[in-house]
Amino acid sequence: MNSPERMPAETHKPFTGYLWGALAVLTCPCHLPILAAVLAGTTAGAFIGDHWGVAALALTGLFVLSVARLLRAFKGRS
């Protein structure tokens, strides 16, 4: 009914900005030990446990990307 194509631009930007912000909070590299504890017993948790450096680099890259997109989404908004 309210597809993103029909939504006004001023409604679409904050919504995507909030989604990028949520992703930034979840992928913050300082949350890696918490993420490893939550995912313990899963394949992702085993990967994080074995490869801390790779996981930290991947999360840092995703965090920087999501923060950049977050700032871009709210840049024109006052």
Side-chain angles (χ1 to χ4, degrees), residues 47-77:
F47 180 81
I48 291 173
D50 289 341
H51 306 286
W52 279 96
V54 174
L57 283 174
L59 284 178
T60 301
L62 191 56
F63 174 72
V64 169
L65 171 75
S66 57
V67 168
R69 295 294 303 229
L70 167 71
L71 293 174
R72 183 183 292 173
F74 287 112
K75 184 178 180 182
R77 205 170 153 86

Side-chain angles (χ1 to χ4, degrees), residues 17-51:
Y18 291 130
L19 288 177
W20 282 113
L23 183 63
V25 168
L26 291 174
T27 61
C28 180
C30 65
H31 296 141
L32 187 59
I34 297 169
L35 189 63
V38 168
L39 294 175
T42 65
T43 305
F47 180 81
I48 291 173
D50 289 341
H51 306 286

